């Protein structure tokens, strides 16, 4: 039936009739509601439709009738449509809060649609007596790690309240990158503190607080929602902007350059110190080697001198004897040649005797 209605809308829509009726009707939860749409006997080949337009939903066809003489009854949940003599009736048995909507009676004849009657039906539940829900804004800038306290004030009037149910408070957060708010905290049934107004005893103010240490990911708009007696009331919201320290690109570049220069300077100083240390070590090694060589040469020279001083010089003595024949009786004395030698022995460290 809904498809037929859309097709009819595409075909042709007529203007509203001169005797169009639009009214508002308020009923309590559980009350029965009856809506009538007049039908003329001369309307041959004329169709009538009851359509409901509810908030955030598509139009819904609740019932239709083809002719005056054909009784039709259709029931959807607690709603019944019925063809009666001279009228097309919509009956709601025990109205609920979700029955709040605009109900239209539409006539379709010769591919022309006419809105005959419109009724805004408001179904009211028990009055919680809440007159307002307010939230305080943050005045000081917030940084990551700071403690933040959000407050939600619920104002109520006990004189107008017909519902005895306690209210519950919930905190929602809406972030720019999220399509739906997310529930982050619930207070349950009790507020932080409530106080009566000094001007009127019936006026009451309850304050609910929500505290946490924020981080950069907590940016968003925070709403408190008060649920009671089948209704949900939202606060005006508190926007939480968290300021994250930003390091400029130019400052970052300068910092990196300075650090590199410091590191290079330290490296050059270390290299120069190492070169100086190596050179000094080479000089010390060369001097020590030269001194060692000198001392070694001197010691060798002294040892050689001692060896030369301890040498013993000797000279042999040769005796020459000239003999003649034995028959010479008158021989001369034997000639003797003697060579004298002097032998000394010097010891190192002693003087000559």
């Amino acid at each position: 039936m809904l498809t037929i209605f859309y097709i009819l809308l595409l075909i042709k829509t007529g203007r509203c009739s001169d005797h169009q009726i639009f009214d508002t009707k308020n009923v309590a939860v559980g009350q029965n509601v009856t809506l009538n749409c007049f039908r003329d006997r001369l309307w041959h080949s004329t169709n009538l439709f009851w359509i409901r337009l509810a908030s955030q939903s598509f139009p819904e066809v609740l019932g239709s009738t083809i002719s005056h003489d054909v009784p039709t009854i259709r029931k959807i949940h607690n709603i019944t449509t019925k063809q009666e003599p001279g009228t097309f009736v919509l009956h709601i048995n025990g109205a609920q809060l979700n029955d709040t909507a605009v109900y239209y009676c539409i006539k379709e004849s010769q591919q022309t649609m006419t809105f005959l009657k419109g009724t805004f039906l408001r179904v009211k539940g028990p009055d919680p007596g809440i007159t307002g829900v307010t939230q305080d804004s943050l005045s000081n800038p917030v940084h990551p790690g700071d403690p933040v306290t959000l407050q939600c004030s619920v104002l109520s009037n006990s004189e107008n309240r017909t519902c005895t149910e306690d209210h519950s408070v919930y905190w929602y957060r809406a972030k720019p990158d999220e399509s739906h708010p997310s529930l982050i905290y619930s207070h349950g049934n009790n507020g932080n503190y409530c106080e009566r107004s000094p001007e009127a005893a019936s006026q009451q103010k309850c304050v609910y607080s929500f505290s946490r240490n924020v981080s950069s990911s907590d940016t968003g708009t925070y709403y408190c929602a008060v649920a009671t007696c089948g209704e949900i009331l939202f606060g005006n919201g508190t926007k939480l902007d968290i300021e994250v320290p930003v390091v400029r690109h130019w400052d970052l570049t300068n910092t990196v350059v300075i650090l590199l220069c410091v590191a290079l300077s330290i490296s050059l100083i270390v290299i120069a110190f190492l070169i100086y240390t190596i050179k000094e070590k080479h000089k010390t090694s060369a001097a020590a080697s030269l001194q060692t060589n000198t001392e070694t040469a001197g010691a060798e020279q002294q040892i050689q001198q001692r060896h030369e001083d301890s040498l013993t010089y000797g000279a042999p003595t040769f005796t020459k004897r000239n003999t003649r024949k034995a028959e010479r009786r008158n021989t001369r004395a034997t000639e003797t040649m003697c060579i004298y030698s002097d032998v000394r022995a010097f010891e190192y460290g002693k003087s000559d005797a």
Side-chain angles (χ1 to χ4, degrees), residues 1-9 47-51 59-66 72 74 76 81 88 108 113:
M1 185 64 67
L2 183 59
T3 305
I4 296 175
F5 172 70
Y6 288 152
I7 295 174
L8 293 176
L9 286 178
N47 299 323
L48 296 181
F49 299 89
W50 273 112
I51 298 175
E60 181 182 7
V61 178
L62 302 176
S64 64
T65 178
I66 298 176
T72 57
R74 185 180 182 184
I76 301 177
T81 57
F88 186 33
E108 185 275 323
M113 301 187 68

Side-chain angles (χ1 to χ4, degrees), residues 173-175 178-182:
R173 179 182 62 198
K175 301 183 68 173
E178 294 180 354
S179 56
H180 300 286
S182 57

